[in-house]
Every structure is written in C-alpha cells, then in structure tokens.
Amino acid sequence: MFDRPTHSDDKESARLKGVVKSYTYFNEENGFSVIRLENRSVVVGNLPRFDEGESVVFLGEWTKHPKYGAQFAATGVESGETSTPDALRNFLASGAIKGVGETIADLIVAKFGERAISILDDEPERLLQIEGIGKKKLKAIKASWDERREARESILFLQELGVSGAYAYRIYKRFGARTSEVVRENPYRLTYEVWGVGFKTADMIARKLGFDEHHPLRVKAGLEYALTEAANQGHCFLPEDELIGACRDLLGYELTRNDPLVEDLFFEGRLVVEENRVYLAAYYAAERGTEHHIARLTSFAKREPPQTDKIDATGDVAYTAEQREAIALSTAPGAAILTGGPGSGKTTALKGVVEINKELKRKIALAAPTGRAAKRIAEVVGVEAKTIHRLLEYDPMTNQFAYDENQPLGVDLLVVDEASMIDVLLMYSLVRALPDKATLFIVGDKDQLPSVGAGDVLRDLIASDILPVVRLNLVFRQATRSDIVVAAHEINRGELPGFRNREEGDLFFIEEPETEAIPEQALKLFADRLPKAFGLDPREDVQVITPMYRGDAGANNINAYFQERFNKGRVVLVRGERIFKERDRVMQLRNNYEKEVFNGDLGLVVDYDKEKEKLVVEFQSRKVRYDATELDELTLAYAITVHKSQGSEYPAAILLLTTSHYRMLQRNLFYTAITRASRAMVILGEKKAARVAVNNDRVRRRHTWLAKPRGESSGRPDELFDDFDAPR
C-alpha cells in the first residue's frame, strides 16, 4: 500500500505509483480508463489494460474534475508487474483470461505461486498439470494471454516513443501483432493508414527510431503532408515554388521538380505534376474528372437558345426573364447554374423548375451537401431532397459510392442546392454519376463562403464559361421589407448597414465592446429576450453563431457557459473533460450513414443507457445511441461557427462579432452569417468589427485550376479519372 501523494492545482508533470484495485470503466476501442488504486487515488486516461493487483508507475498530472474531484490524468506509464499471490489470484479470476475462472485461478496460484506469470509467458504447457485444464482449454488460455501480452507490449512500445494512449490503441488496432515491426520499418505509414495520426507524430516516432532527416521515406511523407495541409486550407494544388518552400521549412530539404523522390511518388500514383502545379493525385483526378463529365453533359445540350417565351406563369407568379431562362435550361439535357443573393427569386425559380419538369414527366432528384441544407430545400420546394452522399448511396465500410459512371443515377433532372459548399472531390463524385442526356441544375450564391474542403467549384464553374449561368440580380420589392435582406446586399456591395433597430424590423445591432461580457449578454438574448419577443423556444429556434471556436466570444467558451448557466439538467455522462447533460443541444460533426445522422444535424441529449453504455441523443423525434468511441462525432451546439451554419436557416440567430475575431473578419463571412436567420438576427459585438469585415473583400485565393486553359499534362488525366475513386 502507498500513501496518497500530495498534489497541487498547477498541473505540473508528476509520477504516481500505486496498485490497481479495480476498473470503474474501460473502453476496448481506445483504452480510455477510469482506474481506482488501492491508495484510493483515481487515474484516468487512454492506457493499456492492467491487471488487478498490478503495481504501476503512471506519468501525467493531477487535475481537479468539477464533479468527481481530484484525478490523476495519466499520459503514459513506466512499468508494471503483478505483485502478490493474492493479486495474481484476483487477476486470474477476474475473467480477463478466457477459460480461467475462480476455481482454475486458485489452482494455478496454489501450484505455481508468484511464478504463475512466467509460466504463462514461457511455459504455458505446464498448465496441463492443473486439474480441469485440457489441451482445448490450454489453447484458449494461451491465445487470450498472448493477445493481452501482445497488446500491452505494442502499446507500451508506442508510448515509450511518445505516442498518446488513444493513438497507441488506434495504431495497435490497425496493425495488431505487427505493430512494432511496421513502425520500426516505416513509421510514416501511420500517416496514410491510421486516422488522426499526422506527419508530425510519425516524424517524432521516426526521429526517436533513428531515421535521418533526409531519409527518402521522410521526404516523401513530408511532401504529401505539405500538399495535404494545403488541401485542408482549400487548395487543390500548390505551385512548384510554394511546395519547394514548404518542404524547405518543414523538412530542411531542397526539393526540385526532377527530384527522383517526386518521380517515385508519381509512379506510385500518389502525385501529379502539371506545368508548375503539383497535386495529390486525388485532387488532380477530381478537377480533371469534373471538367470531363461537365463537358460530357453539355455535349448533349441543345444548340439553339432556350425558348423562354414558351414558359408560362405558374399560378399567380409572373416570372422575370432571367427566371424563365433558368426554368427553360432545366428542361433540356446539359448543365446550368442559377446564382443570386437573398430576395432575388431563386426559390420562386426553383419551384418553377420542379413544377414544369413534373409536367414534362421527367424524373427529378433534389440534393444538397448537408442534411440541414437538404431539409431546407425540401421544405421550400415541397419535394424530397437528400444529401449528396445519401443520393449516391455512400457505403462507409468500403468508402465508395454505389452510383458512378458504371451505374449512373436514374434521373432526368438533378437539382443541387447550396453549391458554394461543394468541394471538388464531392462534385466529381456527383457529376460522374449522372447519365448522358440528364440535366444538372446547380443552384448557389457565389458570394457566400467557399467549401470547407478543397476547391472553389461554384465560382470556378461560373468563371469558366463552359456552361450557361443565369444571374438573378433583381431584389424583389417584398424582400426589401426585410432589414436582413437589405443589409446583406449592402454588405455585398461593401457598405456598412445602417442597423436601424426598428421595432418592426428583423435585424438588430447591440453594441458590446467588452468581450468578457459577451457570453452573459448572449445568454440573455438566447434564453429570454428573443423567445419573449418572437414567441420562440430557445432550444429549438434560436442559434448563436460566431466566426471562431476560441476566445471569450468563440463557440467553445459560449457552449461551456451556456451548458453551465442555461441547462440545469442532470449530468448524464462525463468522459475526460467532456460533460454531457440532459437536454444539451449537440451537433453531429460528420455523416454517419449507419445511424442516419449527418454533418450539421442538431439534436438534444436525452439520457445515458447504462446497460449498453451509450449516450442517447434525439434527432427530430428519433433516438440515436453513441458509444464511447463515437462521442467525438458530437459537439455542444448552443453556439456554432459561421462555416457550420452555412446551408441552414434558423428562426432567430445571434451573431457574435468582435475585433477579437480579427483574422476571420471577411465580407463573405459576414454576408453568409447575416442571412442565416428568417425572423430575427441580432448582432452582438462591435461596429468596428462589422466595419472591418465589410471592408475586407480580400478573400484568400485558392489554388484551383478547374476549367482553365492548360498546357500538356504529365499526369495522363484520362487514365486517372477513369479509374480513380476520390476519397470521401
């Protein structure tokens, strides 16, 4: 037994030695553990599985949990050994080893005493001396023991190299018994084959294993990492000089275009060089493939201008000439774009497109990049809409879509809304699945934020002149009654809105120069003032939007503040520093087709199923369960970023806008944010920040080459996009 060590709240690095008494919780997928020691200390962290009675030295720091008090947050261990015969007996009887129960455990310890562990390690056949253990049971015991030892050794090996417990478990799950061999041979494989392990982690491991800084494996992995980071910033490629500079900064390596390592990556099918542009193969295939399939669709278009005079008014709606042109384009094979801002009549035109194509007995499909955007267009147009992934029937097990050029969609017209959100990989997957003589009708607002993923597809296609574009520039009179619509167009023209704060209006500005006061002010608006003024339910109808995650006015801080102050529900689950309360609003962060919940879907936490160890979340009256390995798919969503709000509309929204958001203050972000509310938009913050955003029209140019003139390609595009499946 050990005395409980003293600790402080300064989170200094510490060591804690103790004997494992029991597990309160252990997750087989990621190793997250809550361990009670014999000295009454509690240890939490992603760790190997230890045996009851095992003496362990934990490395980490003391923390104070708001509900459970002092805990030792372990990041690794030094060593462990099962100590006394009683501890051995308790461990063997715990069920950890298949085929060994209490009786067999008593007999093993009685026979071998403290040598039981070495017998299991080195001479397991001697267990046949124990009554009740035959060859079949011995085989099961040996397999179970070897599996535990293998996992322990692999995870400790990785942790000694500085890998965190969670990633160590993930790596072991991928490579199993070969973990040590694979990592020693090529640690950079982890960046390609283990989700979440990036180049920097693999590079740290490699350097500890003695890899030279100019080792070919390191340079090739670093080059791909630089291009991947560029894709994460929205670029489809990097110009040659930028890539050379990135490799110099990252690797200390002078890269040249004719470098044999670049040629290796090309012949391995991982890299494409076209003129001075260097692509990861996936993005090159997606750009060229999108061009190819857009050209294929437009090759079936009628050569004569659309007969707009034959489009009749629907009901009491009188279409403008531009709306009639868009409707006409939707009735014939080919591809076309409809773009315009709020109040310009896109919805009216879309209704006309659907109605007239129904009359023509054409098979229609509607799609959008996110679940919320799909729901919104369905509500507006009155026809079922799907996410693009659901339309193409994405299979997460194979990472493939069911529909492609070999099995095209059975549609005559595909309407795709919120196209500014579609990245080049997704657009490629979409257009390759359309049959010849179908119509692709793309709808979007080119002035909104671009896609989170790589590419600038909508703007590039509009600029390319390879397909007809209908621009709706007229703002209808009824739309000008909305202060939101008027302000959106003022922002788009580079003008600071007047913010009249009319009692009968729908746009209000509340000046708050102190960012520390923002959370409390936002909570009053969210929980009291907006619900009372507009008859709204704050949990369902009011959304806080902010440019950033960090800072006093960032989504992370607002969510924590609202959870504590607004939600008085009981705590249903605590995992590390994450707390889930009953009635918490949460957002799904990725498409999960097995659960049928999608990126951007909002739900409410309703319970924790203790028997199945699953968090229960309700999405539109449907209950969905999450186990511990899936909790990273959820985030608190009292406040979300502007990027996450794109494609959605809320009855009321509160936009936080302060100079602390300086690096994110851009005109297209402000424009996108202000159009997220249908009944009331309140901007809380500083007019100085609004002025900065309006004046900043320097949208960072993305490196894209969609539908632009090109010279001779070294990438053999036909071969690439014919056979290549873009990652999802």
Side-chain angles (χ1 to χ4, degrees):
M1 299 287 285
F2 299 88
D3 292 332
R4 186 181 181 89
T6 58
H7 59 276
S8 62
D9 292 330
D10 59 5
K11 295 191 175 182
E12 291 182 357
S13 180
R15 297 165 76 250
L16 171 64
K17 185 176 181 181
V19 176
V20 174
K21 180 180 181 182
S22 64
Y23 271 79
T24 301
Y25 178 80
F26 180 75
N27 186 294
E28 291 286 352
E29 292 297 318
N30 59 21
F32 182 79
S33 309
V34 180
I35 305 170
R36 294 194 176 275
L37 304 183
E38 288 187 357
N39 64 8
R40 300 189 306 281
S41 295
V42 176
V43 178
V44 298
N46 298 91
L47 299 162
R49 179 82 191 209
F50 300 107
D51 309 330
E52 293 179 16
E54 185 168 357
S55 177
V56 185
V57 178
F58 297 96
L59 305 177
E61 61 188 20
W62 282 101
T63 62
K64 191 169 184 178
H65 192 278
K67 182 176 181 181
Y68 298 111
Q71 297 179 336
F72 191 81
T75 57
V77 297
E78 283 187 353
S79 62
E81 57 180 18
T82 307
S83 51
T84 66
D86 283 345
L88 280 170
R89 187 265 174 204
N90 291 338
F91 159 61
L92 293 171
S94 68
I97 306 300
K98 293 177 183 177
V100 178
E102 291 188 5
T103 301
I104 297 294
D106 287 337
L107 293 171
I108 291 174
V109 173
K111 175 73 174 176
F112 301 112
E114 295 183 9
R115 295 186 59 239
I117 297 299
S118 63
I119 294 295
L120 284 162
D121 279 341
D122 305 321
E123 303 175 90
E125 64 280 354
R126 291 185 61 184
L127 294 179
L128 292 171
Q129 300 171 19
I130 304 294
E131 184 179 354
I133 298 181
K135 290 184 178 180
K136 186 176 181 180
K137 180 166 284 191
L138 174 64
K139 185 177 180 180
I141 293 172
K142 186 176 183 303
S144 181
W145 179 259
D146 287 347
E147 183 181 351
R148 285 179 58 82
R149 182 173 60 175
E150 169 194 292
R152 175 80 64 82
E153 290 174 352
S154 296
I155 291 164
L156 289 177
F157 161 72
L158 292 167
Q159 290 189 331
E160 286 170 2
L161 293 171
V163 181
S164 71
Y167 285 132
Y169 257 86
R170 201 171 285 172
I171 294 166
Y172 173 73
K173 285 285 184 182
R174 170 65 183 87
F175 298 113
R178 298 179 57 242
T179 296
S180 176
E181 174 191 345
V182 167
V183 171
R184 290 181 188 279
E185 181 180 319
N186 181 6
Y188 297 102
R189 278 185 64 178
L190 303 180
T191 64
Y192 313 124
E193 299 185 45
V194 182
W195 181 83
V197 178
F199 172 79
K200 291 182 179 178
T201 298
D203 198 39
M204 172 198 71
I205 295 170
R207 302 307 287 269
K208 289 184 177 180
L209 291 172
F211 279 68
D212 182 80
E213 67 173 349
H214 291 164
H215 194 289
L217 291 174
R218 179 174 190 263
V219 175
K220 289 161 70 172
L223 195 155
E224 289 190 83
Y225 171 75
L227 291 171
T228 300
E229 284 295 287
N232 291 337
Q233 297 298 316
H235 303 298
C236 291
F237 65 86
L238 278 182
E240 192 176 283
D241 58 343
E242 288 190 28
L243 181 60
I244 289 171
C247 286
R248 183 187 301 120
D249 295 341
L250 178 68
L251 304 169
Y253 183 83
E254 288 296 331
L255 187 73
T256 64
R257 184 180 184 186
N258 296 320
D259 195 302
L261 298 180
V262 174
E263 293 183 4
D264 285 350
L265 287 169
F266 172 79
F267 286 111
E268 290 168 11
R270 307 182 73 89
L271 197 84
V272 175
V273 180
E274 185 179 69
E275 296 181 346
N276 73 328
R277 298 177 294 278
V278 187
Y279 291 81
L280 290 174
Y283 297 98
Y284 183 81
E287 272 202 341
R288 302 293 77 77
T290 298
E291 287 178 349
H292 169 78
H293 288 288
I294 291 286
R296 171 179 61 84
L297 291 168
T298 56
S299 70
F300 294 100
K302 292 181 178 180
R303 299 306 175 192
E304 64 273 11
Q307 299 299 308
T308 56
D309 57 331
K310 294 183 180 180
I311 305 294
D312 297 321
T314 303
D316 58 355
V317 177
Y319 297 120
T320 65
E322 291 79 13
Q323 288 172 328
R324 290 201 311 275
E325 180 185 3
I327 294 168
L329 287 168
S330 77
T331 64
I337 294 175
L338 173 65
T339 187
S344 62
K346 290 199 304 294
T347 298
T348 300
L350 269 179
K351 289 179 178 177
V353 164
V354 170
E355 234 174 284
I356 288 172
N357 278 275
K358 277 184 177 178
E359 290 180 13
L360 295 173
K361 310 296 184 187
R362 301 186 83 205
K363 190 169 182 181
I364 306 168
L366 271 65
T370 68
R372 291 187 67 84
K375 180 184 176 185
R376 183 180 173 192
I377 186 178
E379 290 171 346
V380 167
V381 178
V383 175
E384 180 191 13
K386 299 179 178 179
T387 65
I388 295 172
H389 281 75
R390 179 177 277 178
L391 176 74
L392 300 179
E393 295 187 9
Y394 174 66
D395 182 354
M397 299 300 293
T398 62
N399 194 32
Q400 300 293 325
F401 289 117
Y403 292 98
D404 57 20
E405 55 266 67
N406 298 316
Q407 184 179 343
L409 292 162
V411 299
D412 300 310
L413 168 68
L414 173 60
V415 177
V416 184
D417 196 20
E418 296 290 352
S420 63
M421 300 173 67
I422 302 176
D423 62 46
V424 70
L425 296 177
L426 188 56
M427 180 58 80
Y428 172 46
S429 295
L430 182 67
V431 295
R432 71 192 296 203
L434 284 169
D436 293 345
K437 300 185 180 179
T439 308
L440 173 62
F441 195 77
I442 302 169
V443 184
D445 185 344
K446 66 180 179 60
D447 296 315
Q448 288 197 20
L449 288 169
S451 59
V452 174
D456 203 356
V457 174
L458 180 62
R459 289 174 190 77
D460 284 350
L461 288 177
I462 289 173
S464 71
D465 291 329
I466 62 173
L467 70 171
V469 178
V470 178
R471 295 173 172 85
L472 301 180
N473 296 315
L474 175 67
V475 180
F476 285 84
R477 183 177 299 173
Q478 62 267 30
T480 62
R481 298 171 190 157
S482 166
D483 294 333
I484 292 173
V485 171
V486 172
H489 287 277
E490 288 172 336
I491 291 167
N492 217 13
R493 293 194 300 267
E495 302 169 9
L496 184 69
F499 300 124
R500 293 175 288 172
N501 287 6
R502 298 184 302 136
E503 185 175 343
E504 69 276 17
D506 56 9
L507 175 65
F508 309 91
F509 197 108
I510 299 176
E511 186 81 26
E512 180 49 77
E514 302 296 330
T515 56
E516 297 86 352
I518 291 281
E520 183 178 356
Q521 291 273 51
L523 181 58
K524 288 178 181 176
L525 287 164
F526 176 89
D528 184 47
R529 295 177 64 182
L530 280 169
K532 284 182 179 177
F534 292 90
L536 303 174
D537 179 350
R539 293 186 189 275
E540 299 287 342
D541 303 327
V542 185
Q543 182 63 60
V544 179
I545 303 171
T546 179
M548 297 174 67
Y549 283 102
R550 287 177 285 185
D552 289 331
N556 293 340
N557 186 55
I558 297 296
N559 279 322
Y561 189 86
F562 276 35
Q563 185 187 54
E564 180 183 354
R565 299 286 297 276
F566 171 72
N567 189 359
K568 301 304 181 183
R570 63 188 176 91
V571 173
V572 296
L573 180 64
V574 177
R575 282 291 175 267
E577 296 184 357
R578 300 192 68 187
I579 300 172
F580 292 95
K581 286 184 175 182
E582 188 177 29
R583 303 287 290 168
D584 265 339
R585 179 193 286 176
V586 293
M587 174 181 278
Q588 176 75 13
L589 293 176
R590 73 173 185 86
N591 293 331
N592 188 320
Y593 295 89
E594 294 177 5
K595 297 183 186 299
E596 295 189 351
V597 287
F598 304 95
N599 185 10
D601 283 354
L602 294 175
L604 291 177
V605 173
V606 293
D607 201 1
Y608 180 70
D609 186 333
K610 292 182 180 178
E611 183 179 339
K612 296 182 179 178
E613 296 186 342
K614 291 180 184 290
L615 185 71
V616 185
V617 181
E618 186 172 83
F619 293 93
Q620 297 178 352
S621 302
R622 191 172 63 86
K623 292 181 179 178
V624 179
R625 287 169 166 76
Y626 294 79
D627 64 31
T629 65
E630 298 168 322
L631 294 179
D632 60 354
E633 295 183 19
L634 296 172
T635 186
L636 289 176
Y638 299 103
I640 62 176
T641 64
V642 177
H643 280 88
K644 281 294 183 185
S645 74
Q646 197 172 356
S648 301
E649 187 175 78
Y650 313 94
I654 303 162
L655 172 63
L656 309 182
L657 205 66
T658 76
T659 52
S660 67
H661 299 137
Y662 186 83
R663 69 182 186 86
M664 295 294 292
L665 295 179
Q666 294 181 333
R667 187 183 299 174
N668 60 353
L669 181 137
F670 193 12
Y671 172 78
T672 300
I674 206 171
T675 55
R676 296 308 93 197
S678 59
R679 293 179 58 188
M681 164 61 75
V682 179
I683 303 172
L684 176 62
E686 302 169 80
K687 284 189 179 174
K688 179 181 178 182
R691 191 174 297 109
V692 169
V694 166
N695 291 334
N696 182 11
D697 194 29
R698 299 186 303 276
V699 178
R700 189 167 59 86
R701 182 76 184 97
R702 295 185 170 193
H703 294 308
T704 66
W705 206 251
L706 181 61
K708 293 180 182 176
R710 296 180 311 284
E712 290 298 317
S713 166
S714 62
R716 297 193 295 277
D718 289 339
E719 294 178 15
L720 276 167
F721 64 63
D722 280 347
D723 299 326
F724 186 80
D725 285 316
R728 314 302 172 211

